[in-house]
Amino acid sequence: MNIGDTVKLTKIPDGVPSDNHQLQTLFRNCVGKTFPIVAVDDGLFELHVGEVFGKPAEHHQIWVDADHLKKIEA
């Protein structure tokens, strides 16, 4: 997967603390939705997900590894 590819978030990463309700909500609302990859760093992929919450895309970002993403073919 590369910058510009469209991916679907398939699940919440295990490392998201279960007691962090704000972060859990952020990821839960993104699961099943598609986003372009905007950056790659050390095996993690940056997704701008603000539009899920009615904000500009770059308002919220998440970083996830490839195990939590499915590439969407054009």
Side-chain angles (χ1 to χ4, degrees):
M1 288 183 276
N2 299 298
I3 293 172
D5 287 348
T6 300
V7 294
K8 180 187 291 188
L9 183 66
T10 59
K11 60 184 176 178
I12 298 174
D14 295 335
V16 177
S18 60
D19 61 345
N20 187 328
H21 300 294
Q22 189 174 24
L23 207 51
Q24 283 285 332
T25 298
L26 173 67
F27 276 92
R28 191 177 316 110
N29 285 319
C30 293
V31 170
K33 298 199 172 47
T34 59
F35 307 96
I37 295 172
V38 295
V40 180
D41 186 24
D42 198 29
L44 294 175
F45 299 88
E46 181 181 9
L47 310 177
H48 288 179
V49 300
E51 291 174 340
V52 170
F53 302 95
K55 307 272 184 182
E58 63 278 356
H59 191 271
H60 292 291
Q61 306 87 32
I62 59 174
W63 289 84
V64 293
D65 62 35
D67 292 343
H68 301 90
L69 299 173
K70 177 181 178 184
K71 184 176 177 183
I72 304 301
E73 299 298 328

